[in-house]
């Protein structure tokens, strides 16, 4: 997971603050580089007040090297044009062609440079007829999770943004002096209101004409420019940020074609046929999920300093349906001698512990009684039974209350600008799960005893997205009860449409803090597209009759449950949805009345 920082200032080359630099290095421990450049004859009024015609651009990147056979340091630059690129992402395909062998950062930079300059490789750096639309078209064909900053010096444009599902973090805001900052996390001690998520509804652009004649010159740190007579410093003008939107249809203005199509809104005539383990949709579901997962876990590089017995891939593992299904399919895709880590987190919750002691009259384990620990151990046993030749390593991550308190300020900072009690509960669970520090139990060792362990895997699999796509929340059942298939479709459509606006950026910030990368097989563009095009009654069991002779199974995510049955996971197929903050017991740790939506003090 890489860290990105870019600043625009009329006064000086502006580095990230010390704490921000430290956090960015946690995200990308393999490389850290900074570039300072001065843009002369910039477009008037990019900065207001003084009408500055010069802009200091600073690019800073940290790198977690995951792809290709060598470390690629960032920011990438092209000396002949002085264009710059900061990339935090995984590009799995470009223009429909899978990426293999080379580092994806280099490929994407080369691809964007070709889009913004004719005959790029031949040394002809003249811009295309419509460079903004050409750039937008190129971004449209990149499949994968990403956030980036790209300075196109040939056309004097600064682009920044996230993929259309918002799977990587990127924030932007103005500091106290009116300088623009774009960063993977909030810079310094600024209040949450100073930074906001870069929306995943488009790519954003700042025009810095006059264009081709504009030059960038490498500079050293320089003193602040003088203010005007009233003491005002130049401030960035927000009006200069323009959006290039994602769209399902061609538009007359620059735009990108979204890889995610509109949802199938077909309503059945009469009662749909039963959904069974032999249904064609369930069989195709397995194929599609295998393809998505294979891209994300095969040929993963050995982590630096890791031993051959250490896992390359770990699963954020509650023992629930979504994550256990990923673990089970991963078994079929990875060499049998590779260990797979199952990271299971449980918290000491003083309120719950006190209530249990009062009810039972004796102390109980605050960790082993956590719902996610109970389901996690049960799913671990089921995986051992089904896949006995695999070494499954169950990592019990026990977090004392004192440890939660010690790390709370760090978690609060990382999750900004999110700032509610629920945000903190969820962020804490993901933060400590991703740390991967606990006691490990290996399934292949006879009479094994738990031993202290810290996971070395840099790839973490997450089941996020399954609930939104396959109607896994209780509100989906309520929507169907109130509005039938139309109400259910509306609710799923709403969930999918706001994926990029909700919590993926927050989750990325807290997970990446440990130098690990979360990957989301359920949110692969091709997989999401296929699921959205399918009729709703093939994905879940609402309004669909039970098949005679088959075991009764919940309507929520019924297609995934049937797939679990096909793969031998009888117990997992019947697991109910449980929110992570309740399963791990991070919710409501202190006494008092508070709601999840309450803002933190």
């Amino acid at each position: 997971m890489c860290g990105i920082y870019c600043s625009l200032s009329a006064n000086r080359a502006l580095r990230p603050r010390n704490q921000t630099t430290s956090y960015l290095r946690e995200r990308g421990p393999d490389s850290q580089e900074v570039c300072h450049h001065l843009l002369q004859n910039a477009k008037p009024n990019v900065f207001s007040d003084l009408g500055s015609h010069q802009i200091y651009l600073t690019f800073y990147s940290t790198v977690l090297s995951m792809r290709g056979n060598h470390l690629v340091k960032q920011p990438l630059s092209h000396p002949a044009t002085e264009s710059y690129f900061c990339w935090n992402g995984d590009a799995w395909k470009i223009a429909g062609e899978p990426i293999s062998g080379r580092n994806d950062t280099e490929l994407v930079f080369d691809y964007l440079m070709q889009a913004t300059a004719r005959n790029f490789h031949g040394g002809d750096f003249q811009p295309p007829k419509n460079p903004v639309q050409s750039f937008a078209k190129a971004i449209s064909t990149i499949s994968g999770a990403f956030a980036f900053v790209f300075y196109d010096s040939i056309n004097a444009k600064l682009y920044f943004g996230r993929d259309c599902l918002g799977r990587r973090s990127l924030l932007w805001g103005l500091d106290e002096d009116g300088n623009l900052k774009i960063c993977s996390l909030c810079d310094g001690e600024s209040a949450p209101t100073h930074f906001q998520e870069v929306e995943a509804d488009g790519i954003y652009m700042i025009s810095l004409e006059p264009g081709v004649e504009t030059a960038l010159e490498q500079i050293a740190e320089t003193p602040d420019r003088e203010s005007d007579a009233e003491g005002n410093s130049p401030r960035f003008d927000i009006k200069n940020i323009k959006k290039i939107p994602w769209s399902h249809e061609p538009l007359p203005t620059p735009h990108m074609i979204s890889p995610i199509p509109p949802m199938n809104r077909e309503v059945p005539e009469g009662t749909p046929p039963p959904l069974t383990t032999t249904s064609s949709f369930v069989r195709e579901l397995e194929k599609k999920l295998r393809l998505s997962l294979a891209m994300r876990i095969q040929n993963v590089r050995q982590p630096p300093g890791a031993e051959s017995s250490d896992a390359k891939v770990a699963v954020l593992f509650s023992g629930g349906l979504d994550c256990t299904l990923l673990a089970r399919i991963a078994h079929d895709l990875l060499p049998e001698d590779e260990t797979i880590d199952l990271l299971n987190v449980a918290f000491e919750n003083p309120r719950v512990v006190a209530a249990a002691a009062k009810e039972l009259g004796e102390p109980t384990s605050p960790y082993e009684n956590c719902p996610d620990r109970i389901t996690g151990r049960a799913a671990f046993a089921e995986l051992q039974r089904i896949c006995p030749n695999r070494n499954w390593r169950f990592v019990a991550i026990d977090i004392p209350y004192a440890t939660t308190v010690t790390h709370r300020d760090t978690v609060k900072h990382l999750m900004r600008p999110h700032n509610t009690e629920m945000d903190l509960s969820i962020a804490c669970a993901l933060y400590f799960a991703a740390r991967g520090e606990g006691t490990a139990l290996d399934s292949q060792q006879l009479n094994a005893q738990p031993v202290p362990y810290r996971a070395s895997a840099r790839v973490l699999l997450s089941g996020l997205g399954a609930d939104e796509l396959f109607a896994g929340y209780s509100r989906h059942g309520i929507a169907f009860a109130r509005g039938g298939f139309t109400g259910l479709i509306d609710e799923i459509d709403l969930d999918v449409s706001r994926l990029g606006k909700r919590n993926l950026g927050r989750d990325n910030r807290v997970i990446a803090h440990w130098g690990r990368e979360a990957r989301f097989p359920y949110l692969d563009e091709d997989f999401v597209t296929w699921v959205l095009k399918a009729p709703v009654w093939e994905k879940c069991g609402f309004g669909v009759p039970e098949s005679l002779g088959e075991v009764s199974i919940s309507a929520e995510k019924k297609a995934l449950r049937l797939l679990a049955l096909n793969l031998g996971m009888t117990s997992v197929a019947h697991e109910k949805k449980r929110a992570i903050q309740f399963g791990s017991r991070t919710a409501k740790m202190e006494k008092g009345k508070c709601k999840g939506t309450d803002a933190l003090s």
Side-chain angles (χ1 to χ4, degrees):
M1 190 66 62
C2 302
I4 291 174
Y5 170 89
C6 172
S7 67
L8 278 73
S9 173
N11 290 329
R12 65 192 186 280
L14 195 65
R15 288 173 173 262
R17 299 181 184 182
N18 290 339
Q19 186 181 49
T20 305
T21 300
S22 176
Y23 285 159
L24 290 173
R25 286 178 176 172
E26 295 290 349
R27 294 174 62 93
D30 297 334
S31 169
Q32 304 89 38
E33 300 285 339
V34 64
C35 298
H36 300 295
H37 290 272
L38 177 61
L39 177 60
Q40 301 280 18
N41 298 319
K43 184 176 182 178
N45 300 321
V46 170
F47 281 86
S48 58
D49 297 334
L50 296 185
S52 172
H53 286 211
Q54 68 176 23
I55 297 176
Y56 295 86
L57 295 98
T58 299
F59 303 95
Y60 176 71
S61 284
T62 64
V63 174
L64 180 72
S65 184
M66 303 286 290
R67 308 280 298 278
N69 57 12
H70 65 288
L71 170 65
V72 175
K73 296 183 178 181
Q74 296 189 47
L76 289 182
S77 63
H78 186 262
T81 62
E82 295 183 298
S83 295
Y84 294 88
F85 186 52
C86 300
W87 171 258
N88 171 27
D90 281 314
W92 303 111
K93 296 179 183 178
I94 295 180
E97 293 297 319
I99 293 176
S100 60
R102 285 185 62 187
N103 180 276
D104 62 322
T105 309
E106 293 175 315
L107 283 173
V108 172
F109 183 43
D110 188 64
Y111 189 60
L112 297 182
M113 288 296 298
Q114 291 182 59
T116 54
R118 293 190 186 125
N119 192 24
F120 167 69
H121 288 298
D124 179 4
F125 302 131
Q126 293 300 311
K129 183 176 180 180
N130 189 336
V132 176
Q133 183 55 48
S134 179
F135 175 85
K137 181 180 178 181
I139 287 290
S140 297
T141 65
I142 298 174
S143 175
F146 59 79
F148 73 93
V149 173
F150 173 59
Y151 178 66
D152 168 20
S153 67
I154 297 169
N155 303 290
K157 302 277 190 290
L158 182 74
Y159 299 95
F160 61 98
R162 304 193 287 160
D163 68 83
C164 64
L165 293 176
R167 289 163 287 184
R168 294 289 184 264
S169 170
L170 196 65
L171 311 177
W172 73 274
L174 303 181
D175 67 9
E176 296 83 353
D177 298 321
N179 302 301
L180 177 68
K181 294 180 178 180
I182 306 163
C183 190
S184 297
L185 45 89
C186 285
D187 184 39
E189 298 300 327
S190 299
T193 53
H194 287 191
F195 278 82
Q196 61 186 14
E197 300 265 11
V198 174
E199 292 287 353
D201 58 355
I203 299 301
Y204 291 79
M205 179 191 74
I206 302 171
S207 188
L208 302 169
E209 284 96 342
V212 176
E213 68 271 26
T214 299
L216 284 174
E217 300 174 359
Q218 184 130 6
I219 61 166
E221 291 282 356
T222 59
D224 292 1
R225 274 184 50 198
E226 293 183 1
S227 303
D228 65 8
E230 286 76 32
N232 297 318
S233 295
R235 299 184 64 84
F236 184 83
D237 192 338
I238 299 296
K239 292 183 292 185
N240 286 291
I241 300 179
K242 307 297 183 184
K243 181 174 74 175
I244 307 169
W246 292 101
S247 174
H248 292 122
E249 303 293 338
L251 299 174
T253 55
H255 65 284
M256 297 165 297
I257 297 297
S258 174
I260 308 301
M263 185 175 172
N264 184 339
R265 302 192 66 86
E266 181 183 358
V267 174
E269 296 180 5
T271 303
L275 188 62
T276 71
T277 53
T278 59
S279 295
S280 59
F281 181 84
V282 176
R283 292 197 300 269
E284 191 67 14
L285 170 59
E286 181 176 356
K287 295 177 184 177
K288 297 291 186 181
L289 193 52
R290 284 181 185 275
L291 287 173
S292 173
L293 192 54
M295 282 193 299
R296 288 160 173 81
I297 65 172
Q298 290 181 332
N299 304 312
V300 172
R301 198 189 295 171
Q302 188 79 25
E307 299 179 1
S308 58
S309 61
D310 288 334
K312 298 177 184 177
V313 173
V315 184
L316 295 171
F317 191 73
S318 66
L321 171 66
D322 311 330
C323 61
T324 309
L325 197 52
L326 295 180
R328 170 63 186 85
I329 297 175
H331 164 74
D332 295 336
L333 297 171
L334 293 176
E336 202 168 72
D337 61 350
E338 282 191 20
T339 295
I340 298 177
D341 281 356
L342 309 173
L343 307 182
N344 182 273
V345 67
F347 287 76
E348 178 189 19
N349 185 315
R351 185 180 56 81
V352 174
V353 170
K358 183 177 180 180
E359 180 180 347
L360 300 175
E362 59 184 27
T364 59
S365 169
Y367 311 114
E368 292 304 311
N369 287 323
C370 276
D372 279 2
R373 179 59 50 81
I374 294 169
T375 57
R377 290 203 183 276
F380 174 50
E382 191 156 47
L383 287 170
Q384 288 178 270
R385 176 181 61 79
I386 301 165
C387 314
N389 295 326
R390 169 79 56 189
N391 184 44
W392 302 97
R393 180 176 293 136
F394 187 86
V395 185
I397 302 167
D398 298 340
I399 308 299
Y401 177 65
T403 302
T404 301
V405 173
T406 299
H407 287 256
R408 187 172 286 169
D409 284 345
T410 298
V411 176
K412 284 172 143 180
H413 185 103
L414 292 172
M415 73 184 198
R416 290 176 182 169
H418 291 256
N419 191 47
T420 68
E421 292 286 349
M422 184 183 294
D423 286 317
L424 182 59
S425 296
I426 297 171
C428 274
L430 293 172
Y431 173 89
F432 284 106
R435 186 172 70 160
E437 188 174 309
T439 57
L441 186 65
D442 283 28
S443 64
Q444 289 288 297
Q445 294 183 10
L446 294 175
N447 302 316
Q449 296 297 316
V451 296
Y453 178 77
R454 182 160 188 173
S456 61
R458 287 184 161 189
V459 172
L460 305 183
L461 294 178
S462 167
L464 197 147
D467 288 306
E468 288 80 2
L469 290 171
F470 293 92
Y473 294 115
S474 59
R475 64 173 178 272
H476 291 123
I478 295 171
F480 179 78
R482 291 176 175 171
F485 283 105
T486 300
L488 176 60
I489 290 169
D490 287 343
E491 192 69 22
I492 296 174
D493 197 21
L494 177 63
D495 279 336
V496 174
S497 69
R498 63 186 181 186
L499 271 169
K501 296 182 179 180
R502 297 186 73 197
N503 303 322
L504 284 165
R506 176 202 65 197
D507 297 350
N508 174 261
R509 291 189 289 279
V510 296
I511 291 172
H513 183 70
W514 302 108
R516 307 188 201 275
E517 180 177 291
R519 293 180 177 175
F520 309 100
Y522 294 108
L523 293 181
D524 175 81
E525 287 92 337
D526 289 343
F527 183 80
V528 172
T529 295
W530 176 76
V531 176
L532 291 181
K533 286 182 176 180
V536 69
W537 60 87
E538 293 190 340
K539 294 176 273 196
C540 53
F542 297 108
V544 179
E546 293 281 352
S547 177
L548 293 176
E550 287 214 325
V551 178
S552 179
I553 200 164
S554 297
E556 295 89 350
K557 297 186 289 194
K558 187 168 185 178
L560 292 176
R561 296 180 187 280
L562 293 169
L563 175 55
L565 285 177
N566 282 345
L567 295 173
M569 298 187 295
T570 306
S571 297
V572 169
H574 290 85
E575 280 297 335
K576 293 289 187 181
K577 166 68 182 174
R578 185 188 304 115
I580 187 173
Q581 66 270 33
F582 300 114
S584 63
R585 286 187 171 156
T586 57
K588 299 182 179 180
M589 285 198 168
E590 287 84 18
K591 292 181 179 179
K593 294 182 179 180
C594 69
K595 298 179 181 178
T597 54
D598 289 347
L600 298 170
S601 58

Coordinates of all heavy atoms in Angstrom, one line a residue, residues 18 76 144:
N18 N 5.4 16.4 9.9 CA 6.2 15.3 10.4 C 5.3 14.1 10.7 O 5.7 13.0 10.4 CB 7.0 15.7 11.7 CG 8.1 16.7 11.4 OD1 8.5 16.8 10.2 ND2 8.5 17.5 12.4
L76 N 7.1 8.7 -9.8 CA 7.7 8.5 -11.2 C 7.7 9.8 -11.9 O 6.8 10.7 -11.7 CB 6.9 7.5 -12.0 CG 6.9 6.0 -11.5 CD1 6.1 5.2 -12.4 CD2 8.3 5.5 -11.5
G144 N -9.2 -1.9 -11.6 CA -8.5 -2.2 -10.3 C -8.8 -1.1 -9.3 O -9.4 -0.1 -9.7

